[in-house]
Amino acid sequence: MIRSLYTRVVLIFLVSVIGGTLLSFFIATWAFREQLNENLRLPMLYFGEDVAQIYKSQPDDEADAFVSGMRQLSTYHVRIYESRDRFRAYGELNGASSVVITPEQIERVLAGEQVQNNPNGLTVTLVGLPFSTDTGRKALFVEPIGSPSAVFIVKWLLSFSAYALAAGCVVILVAAFFLVRPIQKLTTATRRIAEGDFDVKLDIRQKGELGTLARSFEQMIRELRQAETMRRDFVSNVSHEVQSPLTSISGYAVALKQVKLSEEQRVRYLDIIIEEAGRISKLSSGLLKLSALEAPSPHFRREPLQLDEQIRRVVIALQPQWTPRRIGFELDLPDIRLTGDRDQLDQVWTNLIGNAIKFSPDGGQIGIRMTADADRVTVRVEDQGIGIAPEDRERVFERFFKADRSRSRKYEGSGLGLAIVKQIVTLQGGEISVESRPGHGAVFVVSLPREPQN
Ligand code: ADP
């Protein structure tokens, strides 16, 4: 229970308030003790002197009658000693026992000394003063009845502190509840998220630090939800992409077991199996490349490149794909140098030109144009192929996206090529976009900085 934040807040408050109140009470009384003392002693002394004056100016009997009628006797008790055991007392004590006056104190006052009782250093409970009349030296003792004002002030201060403390406790019990509530909500939300439930609503409208924390938390939930959706899509896409070639492989493997198969059929089935296995292998190498590129600090080399030469080499390497289909190239590649990762950029041009070939009609033309200014190089890969619908233009860079799944079977591919291209271009500090009209070909435009910053 002590571990809960609520209990801690309440305990910290109580300890600091009780400790603080007591400490300040003692400091205040210590600092004011002289004044408190004086405040109490002087009225007693003045009253004692008045009584002594009366005795001095009148015969004892008259003085006795006069003093007995004094109004101050409601607050002071007076004893006048003529010797150790002969005294007159004035004033009602109302049940309270009077302060014990020691014979030694009587002797000292009769000898002409002033005495006072100051038991706790704060309150004066007795003042003794000497005076002389015609009948000899006397010792007069004044004692306050009930609460003298200074003591009363101290008591009042104490009870004030106690009430303030009690009221403070009630307030903090309620306030701590509201203070801790948002944190409890955050804890519950965290627990639910840990259990995989991302449909959490926090409903914390506070401003300040807790509000900021709540906003950041909500942002984190949104991103986690998105990541979870992406993860699910990813798993289902991978399974789907692996499932279809596996089904073909197992189907044709079963067919191969038949005894009555012509040599021609056997070779055809084996070719299909090899081709489908190749698809799975391409998919897995594509996934590996993507995950390497998406690593927190992907491998990125900086080397000087002759870009026009690199692109020409890629076109030549892809010759087996375009020559049989009589596809022609129009190259406008001026002499341009750039700093970048040779292998990664090789992959970019291979994927883009490979797609242009794949989606071009037989006998089509592919244009590759390059322009540059002081800081950037722009490469345009243009084909006259099937083009991309406007709604698909942004999505072609997503993993596993294929514009038309039923048609894609004809075109082959896992839908990872452009995702890899986008990732590499971004890592090199560049941008990629696509322009296209369905049926009228597509243009992929890559813009790269000559000197990447990172
Ligand atoms: P794939 O490996 O399937 O080609 P990509 O990521 O390279 O995957 O391309 C994703 C999708 O974008 C393709 O399936 C295709 O629908 C579309 N696409 C890419 N390049 C072109 C292009 N030059 N012309 C028309 N469509 C294209």
Side-chain angles (χ1 to χ4, degrees), residues 400-433:
F400 299 108
F401 181 80
K402 296 177 197 169
D404 183 344
R405 285 192 173 263
S406 59
R407 215 170 46 184
S408 295
R409 189 76 187 155
K410 172 185 162 196
Y411 289 111
E412 278 300 313
S414 56
L416 291 178
L418 287 180
I420 293 173
V421 167
K422 171 124 190 173
Q423 195 68 24
I424 294 174
V425 169
T426 311
L427 279 176
Q428 306 260 335
E431 283 149 27
I432 182 165
S433 61

Side-chain angles (χ1 to χ4, degrees), residues 36 39-41 43-44 75-76 122-125 143-155:
L36 284 169
N39 184 297
L40 207 60
R41 199 176 67 85
M44 288 164 75
T75 43
Y76 295 112
L122 276 180
T123 49
V124 177
T125 52
E143 168 194 357
I145 305 170
S147 299
S149 59
V151 175
F152 171 75
I153 289 170
V154 172
K155 277 190 184 162

Side-chain angles (χ1 to χ4, degrees), residues 55 58-60 82 86 88 131-138:
Y55 265 90
Q58 295 174 29
D60 281 6
E82 282 161 23
R86 256 174 57 97
R88 296 162 200 252
F131 69 96
S132 301
T133 62
D134 301 341
T135 53
R137 195 175 274 262
K138 294 187 170 53

Side-chain angles (χ1 to χ4, degrees), residues 351-352 355-360 381 383 385-388 392 395-398 400-404 407-408 411-420 436 441-444:
N351 287 7
L352 288 180
N355 276 351
I357 297 169
K358 187 160 67 176
F359 294 103
S360 281
V381 180
D383 65 58
I386 58 169
I388 304 166
D392 294 337
R395 298 199 60 203
V396 291
F397 299 106
E398 287 173 17
F400 299 108
F401 181 80
K402 296 177 197 169
D404 183 344
R407 215 170 46 184
S408 295
Y411 289 111
E412 278 300 313
S414 56
L416 291 178
L418 287 180
I420 293 173
S436 171
V443 188
F444 282 86

Side-chain angles (χ1 to χ4, degrees), residues 8 36 45 48 85 109 148 186 190 273 283 315 317 331 353 362 390 420 422:
R8 279 185 195 198
L36 284 169
L45 202 65
D85 35 35
V109 178
L186 281 170
T190 316
I273 289 175
L283 174 76
V315 173
L331 303 183
I353 300 169
D362 290 355
I420 293 173
K422 171 124 190 173

Side-chain angles (χ1 to χ4, degrees), residues 106-377:
I106 299 168
E107 289 301 338
R108 275 169 59 198
V109 178
L110 283 176
E113 216 182 304
Q114 264 196 20
V115 296
Q116 67 178 46
N117 268 9
N118 193 0
N120 50 18
L122 276 180
T123 49
V124 177
T125 52
L126 185 78
V127 168
L129 60 151
F131 69 96
S132 301
T133 62
D134 301 341
T135 53
R137 195 175 274 262
K138 294 187 170 53
L140 186 144
F141 290 90
V142 183
E143 168 194 357
I145 305 170
S147 299
S149 59
V151 175
F152 171 75
I153 289 170
V154 172
K155 277 190 184 162
W156 178 83
L157 209 66
L158 259 179
S159 51
F160 168 80
S161 307
Y163 287 130
L165 207 64
C169 291
V170 174
V171 171
I172 195 64
L173 283 172
V174 179
F177 173 74
F178 286 103
L179 194 77
V180 169
R181 208 159 60 144
I183 296 171
Q184 282 171 338
K185 278 187 187 175
L186 281 170
T187 315
T188 318
T190 316
R191 206 168 294 136
R192 281 179 60 187
I193 290 168
E195 284 162 7
D197 174 8
F198 295 102
D199 277 332
V200 183
K201 284 242 170 338
L202 275 179
D203 194 26
I204 297 175
R205 270 179 238 103
Q206 251 157 324
K207 292 199 171 75
E209 288 88 342
L210 276 177
T212 315
L213 177 65
R215 301 293 102 71
S216 314
F217 196 83
E218 279 166 345
Q219 166 88 10
M220 187 192 77
I221 297 175
R222 275 195 295 277
E223 277 165 21
L224 279 175
R225 198 182 292 148
Q226 207 178 353
E228 177 62 12
T229 316
M230 277 169 70
R231 191 187 65 83
R232 288 213 183 114
D233 288 354
F234 178 78
V235 171
S236 96
N237 277 322
V238 172
S239 320
H240 182 262
E241 289 295 327
V242 172
Q243 192 55 45
S244 49
L246 272 184
T247 313
S248 306
I249 290 173
S250 67
Y252 285 103
V254 170
L256 273 175
K257 282 176 85 181
Q258 291 172 20
V259 192
K260 286 181 198 159
L261 269 185
S262 69
E263 185 58 18
E264 192 189 331
Q265 272 175 321
R266 210 175 59 83
V267 172
R268 197 162 65 83
Y269 290 176
L270 279 170
D271 280 345
I272 294 172
I273 289 175
I274 292 166
E275 198 181 308
E276 295 293 299
R279 274 178 68 192
I280 298 180
S281 158
K282 260 196 203 158
L283 174 76
S284 93
S285 75
L287 283 173
L288 280 175
K289 253 179 222 154
L290 255 185
S291 87
L293 289 168
E294 285 169 357
S297 47
H299 191 60
F300 176 72
R301 267 195 307 241
R302 290 160 158 271
E303 43 202 336
L305 292 173
Q306 190 68 41
L307 204 57
D308 49 311
E309 219 179 278
Q310 187 185 36
I311 294 177
R312 259 186 224 105
R313 258 191 287 110
V314 170
V315 173
I316 293 166
L318 291 173
Q319 198 169 7
Q321 293 178 27
W322 51 267
T323 319
R325 293 176 53 209
R326 302 180 320 279
I327 291 172
F329 275 87
E330 217 176 282
L331 303 183
D332 178 6
L333 301 171
D335 177 356
I336 291 175
R337 300 187 134 265
L338 168 142
T339 303
D341 187 309
R342 184 186 304 276
D343 292 344
Q344 288 186 357
L345 285 176
D346 236 35
Q347 184 76 60
V348 170
W349 314 129
T350 307
N351 287 7
L352 288 180
I353 300 169
N355 276 351
I357 297 169
K358 187 160 67 176
F359 294 103
S360 281
D362 290 355
Q365 277 285 325
I366 293 173
I368 306 176
R369 287 177 189 85
M370 199 156 69
T371 50
D373 59 25
D375 327 302
R376 295 188 88 80
V377 178

